[in-house]
Amino acid sequence: MMLQWSAASLLFFGAAVIESGVHGLAPPPLTEKTLSALAWLVLLATFGGYGFFNAGLQRFGATTVAALIALTPATTIVWATLMFDEYPGVLGCIGVLLGLLGAGMALLNRPSRSYETGVTAIRQ
């Protein structure tokens, strides 16, 4: 995670430097909107997202978590449609269907876990 965050920080810092141009980099004003956006990103997205990710890995295993993460683009498209009346195009709909199909196949064919013994077994 540290490498991922470091790479993202460098990328966004570089984009901010390029985008700022003549005006230079200036921190955003500390308004209620800025603080609520930061709280949303830090608390919910970072700790909530990675917390659920780690808890899911421990509870369900990598196959299930990877299959559920594959549903992220489809969920985003549905959410954008509901919130902003922004309907996906043909490629978006195909992507949603492929994501659902892939996640469904991965979930149906995942290894079962025995929580009493901690042993993973292949379902026959």
Side-chain angles (χ1 to χ4, degrees):
M1 268 193 277
M2 188 218 38
L3 289 175
Q4 200 173 21
W5 287 345
S6 298
S9 296
L10 287 174
L11 181 74
F12 285 114
F13 179 75
V17 167
I18 292 169
E19 186 65 28
S20 65
V22 187
H23 304 359
L25 290 176
L30 289 179
T31 64
E32 185 178 327
K33 284 185 176 184
T34 303
L35 293 175
S36 65
L38 285 172
W40 176 272
L41 289 172
V42 171
L43 298 175
L44 186 65
T46 301
F47 295 122
Y50 282 111
F52 279 118
F53 178 76
N54 286 325
L57 281 175
Q58 291 173 3
R59 174 77 171 100
F60 302 112
T63 304
T64 302
V65 172
L68 294 175
I69 287 176
L71 295 174
T72 301
T75 304
T76 303
I77 287 176
V78 170
W79 189 255
T81 300
L82 294 174
M83 283 194 67
F84 306 114
D85 283 335
E86 185 177 311
Y87 295 94
V90 173
L91 290 178
C93 290
I94 292 171
V96 168
L97 292 175
L98 287 175
L100 291 172
L101 179 66
M105 288 174 59
L107 290 172
L108 289 174
N109 294 312
R110 72 183 187 273
S112 62
R113 298 181 82 186
S114 173
Y115 292 104
E116 293 82 25
T117 62
V119 176
T120 302
I122 304 296
R123 235 186 269 163
Q124 304 263 342

